[in-house]
């Protein structure tokens, strides 16, 4: 299912005030400001509408209707839900704060509280925070179980969350397969290098053996040369002794 923004389902039901519906009652000035904001909102003048609702809250800080409508006007000033600039994030947080305040009035104003949770769910949905969106939609349905739009958005959020989870699992499996391939590749490379390393070791051992044999031959040859020189000196000395003895014998005769 293709992910989509769902502000078109944001429960844009501008609440009209009636006397005595707010904590502490309403005033003519408060109602006039809220109605002014509603007309501006319908004309898509969201910034001016927000200002009118803020003025209504200055008159009556407990006006749940003014606060809820202010949250709607603030959402509408976010032209791109994917925008993460500081100004956009700040406007979104203001809207969230107003909806949160209204959602806390579920006992006194269940209708408004359900819509406030619904809109916060839409905000999280558009930010692709599907798990959080599901939580808000469920809370809205706990208050108003007959809201088909909330139930539909809950289903869409659940499908998108499942899709993301499946994608994460696929990416994880892909990474594991790649790691396994890399590991097998390294093992095969090591195995290919082992015969070469063995050949090098055999060659080194052969060279060491040849050097040892050559050194032994040189030592033996040196010993033979030394013994030959010794024998030559001994023979020469013996010959000298024989010549001297012969000379002495000749003189006696």
């Amino acid at each position: 299912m293709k992910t989509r923004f769902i502000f078109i389902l944001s429960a844009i039901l501008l609440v009209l005030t009636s006397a005595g519906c707010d904590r502490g009652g309403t005033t003519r000035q408060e109602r006039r400001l809220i109605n002014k904001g509603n007309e501006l909102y319908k004309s898509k003048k969201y910034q001016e509408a927000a200002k009118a609702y803020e003025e209504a809250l200055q008159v009556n800080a407990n006006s749940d209707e003014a606060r809820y409508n202010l949250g709607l006007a603030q959402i509408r000033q976010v032209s791109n839900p994917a925008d993460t600039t500081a100004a956009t994030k700040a406007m979104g947080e203001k809207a969230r704060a107003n909806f949160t305040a209204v959602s806390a009035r579920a006992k006194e104003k269940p209708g408004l509280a359900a819509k406030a949770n619904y809109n916060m769910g839409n905000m999280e949905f558009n930010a692709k925070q599907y798990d959080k969106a599901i939580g808000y939609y469920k809370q809205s349905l706990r208050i108003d179980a007959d809201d088909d739009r909330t139930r539909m958005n809950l289903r869409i959020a659940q499908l998108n969350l499942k899709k993301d989870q499946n994608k994460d699992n696929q990416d994880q499996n892909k990474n594991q397969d790649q790691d396994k391939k890399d590991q097998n590749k390294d093992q095969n490379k090591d195995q290919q290098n082992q015969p070469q390393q063995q050949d090098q070791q055999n060659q080194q051992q052969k060279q060491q053996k040849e050097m040892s044999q050559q050194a032994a031959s040189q030592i033996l040859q040196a010993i033979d040369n030394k013994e030959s020189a010794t024998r030559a000196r001994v023979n020469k000395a013996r010959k000298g002794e024989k010549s001297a003895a012969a000379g002495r014998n000749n003189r006696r005769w």
Side-chain angles (χ1 to χ4, degrees), residues 214-243:
Q214 184 178 2
S217 298
Q218 291 176 350
I219 292 173
L220 291 174
Q221 185 63 45
I223 293 173
D224 289 342
N225 292 339
K226 187 175 181 179
E227 290 179 351
S228 296
T230 302
R231 284 196 297 269
R233 287 195 300 273
V234 170
N235 290 336
K236 183 177 180 180
R238 288 177 179 176
K239 288 180 181 180
E241 290 176 355
K242 289 180 179 180
S243 297

Side-chain angles (χ1 to χ4, degrees), residues 7 16 22 25 29 38 44 68 71 96 109 116-117 119 135 155 166 182 187 192 204 217 220 243:
F7 273 156
L16 299 178
D22 283 326
Q29 185 180 6
N38 292 351
K44 298 184 179 181
Y68 174 81
R96 190 189 308 279
K109 299 290 182 67
N117 281 289
N119 279 288
R155 182 56 178 160
N166 291 337
D182 293 341
Q187 289 177 349
Q192 291 173 357
Q204 290 175 354
S217 298
L220 291 174
S243 297

Side-chain angles (χ1 to χ4, degrees), residues 13-70:
L13 301 176
L14 298 176
V15 181
L16 299 178
T17 64
S18 60
C21 69
D22 283 326
R23 288 169 283 179
T26 63
T27 66
R28 181 179 300 178
Q29 185 180 6
E30 176 192 345
R31 293 194 300 273
R32 181 180 61 80
L33 289 168
I34 292 178
N35 290 333
K36 176 183 176 181
N38 292 351
E39 293 301 320
L40 291 168
Y41 187 102
K42 292 176 184 177
S43 300
K44 298 184 179 181
K45 297 179 181 180
Y46 303 121
Q47 188 172 359
E48 296 177 34
K51 185 177 179 181
Y53 297 137
E54 288 173 345
E55 290 177 355
L57 285 170
Q58 291 176 359
V59 175
N60 179 9
N62 293 325
S63 175
D64 295 317
E65 283 76 8
R67 193 170 300 281
Y68 174 81
N69 286 357
L70 174 58

